[in-house]
Amino acid sequence: MSHVVSQPHPPFFTRDGLLQIWQLPAATDNLIWVLVPSDGSGIAVIDGPEASGTLTLCDTLKQPLAAVLNTHTHGDHIGINRDLLKRGLLDGLRVIGPRQVAAAIPGLTEPVGEGDEIVLGSCRASVLVTEGHLNGHISYLFPGALFCGDTLFAGGCGFLFDGPPKKMFDSLTRLSSLPGDTLVCCAHEYTQDNLRFAWSVEPGNQALRRRIRQVWKDRAEGRCVVPSTIQEERDTNPFLRTDSPELIARVAQAMPDATLDSPLAIFTATRALKDRKDHRAIPDAQLPLNE
């Protein structure tokens, strides 16, 4: 099956201009992020199911692959490590990943955790523990760019494999407090499904209506709508909007047995409602596409 993206997002720079960031579509909906230091010190890649696209880009840019950064241990994120190992290319690379699950990350050389800092070329990044999807999940915060794996998605959040909901809620609350212009570089292009669900619980949200129109237009042309920004997520992502009266009312209607007496309880019920997949029955004709 071909990738859902035929036109990747153009390369862009971290806020300090020290890293150029490339987006590589992989598998069906994965997004690999390739970081190219301006000082020529070697390319780094964040997650991915395989290595071929990254190696091709390294050849094109005439720079060696120097580092692999992993956010968590699902196969479509550490698959690149396994592929590099099979090719005999993993030895000698920096492999940076979550200390808590170090044994599950092939080739790990730099286990990291909350509050640690990593350096790529002249650029520094902070490590944030962002659990809820999987135990040990981490994110990397570079100047103006957040690489958050499967924690925060454009319009949504990751499935709670390990949970519990409080871990994901706390992770999302923390990420939502970052500066609004921070780019959200998540690991999948799931935006349309996420926004269809968002529409089902908050159709009166004018920012969401505008976002849906733009996203459907861009995706119809094959463009990727990731990265988004933290501000865009605060305005339209249902999992960051537990204070929305309309969302609370609609979740209560759909989940009459749910307790909705706290932001965490509202998040928990909203995530459970999305997991039912009722929103997937909403046809495009009922979305605000022609306003």
Side-chain angles (χ1 to χ4, degrees):
M1 181 181 292
S2 60
H3 199 278
V4 297
V5 171
S6 58
Q7 297 185 52
H9 193 284
F12 56 96
F13 285 88
T14 49
R15 186 182 292 130
D16 56 12
L18 297 177
L19 287 178
Q20 187 181 44
I21 301 167
W22 291 70
Q23 180 190 84
L24 294 179
T28 301
D29 51 43
N30 285 80
L31 300 172
I32 298 175
W33 300 98
V34 178
L35 284 54
V36 185
S38 58
D39 63 2
S41 57
I43 286 172
V45 59
I46 301 180
D47 288 342
E50 48 81 25
S52 59
T54 300
L55 295 173
T56 298
L57 182 59
C58 289
D59 289 342
T60 299
L61 298 177
K62 296 181 171 55
Q63 289 199 44
L65 180 62
V68 178
L69 283 63
N70 297 118
T71 62
H72 65 289
T73 56
H74 274 154
D76 59 332
H77 293 258
I78 60 170
I80 189 168
N81 305 50
R82 294 168 175 160
D83 193 3
L84 289 167
L85 182 62
K86 288 179 182 178
R87 297 170 186 255
L89 300 175
L90 193 61
D91 288 347
L93 297 183
R94 294 175 68 191
V95 179
I96 304 166
R99 181 182 297 115
Q100 184 176 333
V101 289
I105 300 174
L108 185 69
T109 63
E110 297 180 37
V112 294
E114 178 65 35
D116 287 338
E117 185 178 78
I118 64 168
V119 179
L120 296 179
S122 302
C123 193
R124 296 176 180 273
S126 300
V127 177
L128 311 175
V129 172
T130 52
E131 294 180 307
H133 179 64
L134 277 191
N135 290 336
H137 192 298
I138 60 175
S139 297
Y140 301 94
L141 180 60
F142 287 85
L146 171 71
F147 297 90
C148 48
D150 287 0
T151 298
L152 174 61
F153 287 133
C157 73
F159 184 80
L160 277 61
F161 285 98
D162 285 338
K166 186 177 188 307
K167 281 190 176 181
M168 180 62 89
F169 178 73
D170 289 346
S171 295
L172 295 175
T173 300
R174 182 183 192 190
L175 296 182
S176 71
S177 71
L178 294 173
D181 63 350
T182 303
L183 296 173
V184 178
C185 303
C186 59
H188 294 274
E189 177 50 279
Y190 291 157
T191 314
Q192 284 180 293
D193 182 70
N194 289 336
L195 295 185
R196 196 181 301 272
F197 173 72
W199 172 254
S200 76
V201 293
E202 204 180 15
N205 182 332
Q206 295 304 309
L208 176 59
R209 298 169 84 95
R210 291 190 294 271
R211 187 178 186 184
I212 286 173
R213 287 196 296 273
Q214 187 61 53
V215 165
W216 259 250
K217 179 178 182 296
D218 289 343
R219 292 295 301 117
E221 297 170 0
R223 289 195 291 272
C224 187
V225 294
V226 177
S228 60
T229 66
I230 289 291
Q231 186 61 57
E232 192 171 26
E233 297 310 318
R234 288 198 292 247
D235 291 343
T236 60
N237 188 321
F239 300 112
L240 305 186
R241 297 183 57 76
T242 55
D243 60 348
S244 164
E246 181 182 34
L247 180 145
I248 295 168
R250 286 192 164 246
V251 171
Q253 182 179 23
M255 307 280 283
D257 295 329
T259 301
L260 302 175
D261 58 358
S262 69
L264 172 58
I266 295 162
F267 166 78
T268 301
T270 304
R271 181 65 250 189
L273 178 57
K274 186 171 193 292
D275 293 343
R276 284 192 347 200
K277 300 183 173 61
D278 300 357
H279 64 285
R280 294 186 178 175
I282 299 173
D284 282 1
Q286 292 182 15
L287 299 177
L289 300 179
N290 299 309
E291 297 179 352

